[in-house]
Structures are given as structure tokens and as C-alpha cells.
Amino acid sequence: MKNKFNIIPVLFAATCLFIFSSSKLNAQTSIEADPLIQELVVLKAKMVENNTLNERYKIQLFYGSNLNEANKVKKEFETTYSEWRSDIVFETPNYKVWVGDFRNRLEAERAFVKLKKDFKSAIIFKP
């Protein structure tokens, strides 16, 4: 007995394929964005530029409640290293000496290797 080829399932499949493919060709998508999105993008760019997002790494050289000690560590740092900026930050009840404004962890690690020789309690952190 010969296999009879049934044409109905083939026609059905071809018709379905034609309908779905033609509907995809005619479909158009439009996205309407809120105008505030552009303002937010500009604002974030300014915040990154001014470093108000604190997405950068710093190195802490000192942590303690004695301001004179913090000033001593800061002065010692500034006489030895001039390539990075240092600040004293006060968070009740402690003073902290922070160094640098490193864009990524790799930059901070490179500086840390140099600073660790003179400042044994130095740590890398992201504020």
C-alpha cells in the first residue's frame, strides 16, 4: 500500500504561517518617553562629574576620636604624598582621614600598595 499524502494539514500550516508572517510585517511599534527622563540623564551625568553619587573609592588612613592625631596623620600624608587629596571627616564621635577619589577598585589598590607601607591601618572603602 502506498502512503497517501494528505494535503489538508499542509495547507493549514501554510495558511497559518502566511497569516502570522504578514501580521508581523505590518506591525509598527512606537515608544513615547517621558520628557523627565532626559532631565534625569543630564542630572545624573552632572552628579557623576561632581562626585556627589560617591561611586568612587577612597582609602582611610585614620579612624579615632582624637582630632590632633587625625591632623598629625593628615600632615604626615601630605608631606610624603602629594598626588592624592586628603580630608578629615567627622562622624560623631570619630575623626577619619580619607585619601583620594579613585574611579575604580584597581586605582585604589595601586595607591593602597604604596600607602600601606607608611600607614599600617589603611583600608580601601566606598563611601
Side-chain angles (χ1 to χ4, degrees):
M1 202 180 217
K2 290 184 179 180
N3 288 339
K4 289 192 173 185
F5 186 74
N6 196 348
I7 192 91
I8 295 175
V10 174
L11 287 175
F12 178 75
T15 305
C16 288
L17 182 64
F18 176 76
I19 291 171
F20 287 124
S21 64
S22 65
S23 66
K24 296 269 184 197
L25 292 175
N26 294 330
Q28 291 186 3
T29 308
S30 65
I31 300 173
E32 193 170 315
D34 191 339
L36 291 177
I37 291 175
Q38 184 61 34
E39 288 181 43
L40 288 173
V41 169
V42 170
L43 180 63
K44 182 172 186 218
K46 287 180 184 176
M47 291 176 78
V48 167
E49 184 178 310
N50 297 335
N51 195 28
T52 54
L53 289 179
N54 283 333
E55 291 184 354
R56 297 189 177 220
Y57 290 88
K58 293 186 180 287
I59 298 174
Q60 181 172 289
L61 302 180
F62 174 80
Y63 177 86
S65 59
N66 189 337
L67 178 58
N68 292 332
E69 274 293 314
N71 282 322
K72 182 180 167 187
V73 169
K74 184 176 191 265
K75 188 172 186 169
E76 180 184 340
F77 168 78
E78 289 174 345
T79 57
T80 310
Y81 303 94
S82 61
E83 55 204 284
W84 304 294
R85 192 183 75 147
S86 63
D87 294 311
I88 294 179
V89 178
F90 179 70
E91 290 180 1
T92 306
N94 295 308
Y95 295 93
K96 302 171 184 181
V97 178
W98 289 355
V99 173
D101 198 19
F102 306 103
R103 290 178 290 173
N104 54 47
R105 180 79 183 193
L106 182 61
E107 277 185 24
E109 290 284 345
R110 288 179 180 153
F112 179 75
V113 168
K114 293 179 184 178
L115 294 173
K116 190 68 175 172
K117 295 172 189 171
D118 296 324
F119 302 95
K120 302 296 182 202
S121 63
I123 59 167
I124 299 173
F125 71 102
K126 196 175 188 180

